[in-house]
Amino acid sequence: MVLGIAVGVIGTIWLKGGWGSNQVALRTASTGVGQLVAGASVKFRGVAVGRVESVAVVPSGEAVMVEMTVRPDLAIPADAAVVIAPESFFGDWQAEITTRDEYGSLTFYEHAEEGVLAGAVLPDFSRLTATADEIARRLTVMSDRFELAFTEETALNLRHLIDNLGLISDDLTTMISQQATRFDELAVGVSESAREFTAAARVARSTLERMDGILTDADVGTLLGNAGESMENLKTLTGDMRAAMTELRTAAQQGSATMTRLETLLASAESGEGLLGRLLADPELAEGATAAVANLNRLLADIKENPTRYLSFSIF
């Protein structure tokens, strides 16, 4: 029996890390330690490397100091920190040596004393359960409110609104297509008028250059001696001018027809005929269509960003 007791004591001491002569002492401070007690496991990357020796509140009362011993061959990272968290569902806690990057969302407590690792504590399962229960109650309240706000009548009104917006969109598309066709015809007429004005200007310029050349190159004697030739040139000039005036008159008539067509189009819009006329004559219709489209866009964006507002579900 004595031998068995001795073997049990020696085995327990060996399993806990030996006699402690070759262990390295570490300390960490945290604002809380949960249910961590002396003898708890110290782990690094999920492997047990030591044990907790003592847990005590610092004299100032602002933190808890945890003293640990770990294996001497353990290579501790330069930015090491300690996270105190539950080890299992049965109330066991552990101190895990880690780095700040692995738990970027935690706020680590920095102790003023040199050589003390920064520490943080994770909530235990009872706190998580209470928090989940509170979230479930809030979701239930939100679901009830959503059911009160989003009734069958609201859904039908929303459907009618979407249908009306579809009809308005179709009408706007038809109106835009019609007006685009008319403006294309108007542009073609203006382009033709511009080309005819350009041709008439070229003819007039050619005639003026010819007259200038006659007056520059000929002297008085030549003009008197060639009166017959001058008369022929004058007849030619008169014919060219008549042709130019005819072309100018034709271009002016086409421009007048184009302007008449444009005035007819504008008068039709001002009198309220067609979709464009109704939009110009009734500002409330145009503003209503714009507001309806804006409201639909906001509703669709809100459904995408917050789908839970429009879905009824319960966790518990």
Side-chain angles (χ1 to χ4, degrees):
M1 291 177 63
V2 173
L3 180 60
I5 293 173
V7 171
V9 171
I10 294 174
T12 302
I13 295 175
W14 179 75
L15 290 175
K16 291 186 176 182
W19 301 100
S21 60
N22 58 345
Q23 299 292 303
V24 176
L26 290 178
R27 292 192 302 168
T28 182
S30 175
T31 55
V33 293
Q35 301 180 18
L36 186 70
V37 295
S41 176
V42 177
K43 293 185 179 181
F44 179 69
R45 301 187 185 281
V47 179
V49 295
R51 63 190 297 270
V52 175
E53 298 297 335
S54 65
V55 179
V57 180
V58 299
S60 63
E62 64 180 4
V64 180
M65 185 67 68
V66 179
E67 296 186 357
M68 307 171 290
T69 55
V70 297
R71 292 163 36 184
D73 58 343
L74 179 64
I76 301 176
D79 58 342
V82 177
V83 176
I84 301 171
E87 185 179 13
S88 65
F89 290 97
F90 304 103
D92 298 330
W93 282 63
Q94 67 179 8
E96 182 180 1
I97 300 175
T98 181
T99 58
R100 299 174 187 267
D101 295 337
E102 293 184 8
Y103 293 89
S105 60
L106 291 179
T107 301
F108 290 89
Y109 175 77
E110 300 286 351
H111 196 265
E113 186 176 351
E114 185 178 358
V116 178
L117 299 178
V121 60
L122 292 178
D124 56 6
F125 294 105
S126 60
R127 293 184 180 179
L128 293 177
T129 303
T131 303
D133 183 64
E134 180 66 21
I135 293 174
R137 286 198 298 270
R138 293 183 180 180
L139 288 176
T140 302
V141 174
M142 292 176 60
S143 176
D144 295 338
R145 293 178 179 177
F146 180 78
E147 289 179 356
L148 291 175
F150 196 79
T151 61
E152 183 177 359
E153 183 179 359
T154 304
L156 292 176
N157 292 334
L158 181 61
R159 179 179 178 182
H160 292 324
L161 174 62
I162 295 174
D163 293 339
N164 292 334
L165 288 176
L167 295 176
I168 293 174
S169 178
D170 295 338
D171 292 341
L172 289 175
T173 302
T174 303
M175 180 192 67
I176 292 173
S177 300
Q178 294 175 354
Q179 300 304 323
T181 302
R182 294 183 180 179
F183 278 111
D184 289 340
E185 295 176 354
L186 178 62
V188 171
V190 172
S191 178
E192 293 178 355
S193 300
R195 285 197 297 269
E196 292 176 358
F197 276 118
T198 302
R202 283 199 297 267
V203 172
R205 181 177 180 181
S206 176
T207 303
L208 293 176
E209 289 177 351
R210 185 181 301 175
M211 292 178 62
D212 183 70
I214 293 173
L215 296 175
T216 301
D217 297 337
D219 54 8
V220 178
T222 304
L223 291 175
L224 294 176
N226 299 319
E229 184 178 357
S230 298
M231 292 300 295
E232 292 294 331
N233 292 332
L234 182 59
K235 291 180 180 180
T236 303
L237 177 61
T238 303
D240 293 338
M241 291 295 293
R242 186 181 296 107
M245 291 301 296
T246 302
E247 292 179 357
L248 285 173
R249 186 180 299 105
T250 303
Q253 291 175 355
Q254 292 182 355
S256 177
T258 302
M259 295 302 297
T260 301
R261 187 183 304 171
L262 179 59
E263 289 177 357
T264 302
L265 178 61
L266 295 177
S268 176
E270 290 178 356
S271 61
E273 297 179 0
L275 293 177
L276 180 60
R278 291 201 300 271
L279 289 177
L280 293 176
D282 190 1
E284 294 182 356
L285 177 60
E287 293 177 358
T290 304
V293 174
N295 290 333
L296 179 59
N297 290 334
R298 286 195 296 270
L299 177 60
L300 294 179
D302 189 62
I303 291 175
K304 291 181 180 179
E305 294 178 359
N306 303 295
T308 56
R309 293 182 181 177
Y310 305 90
L311 299 176
S312 177
F313 65 92
S314 177
I315 297 179
F316 299 97

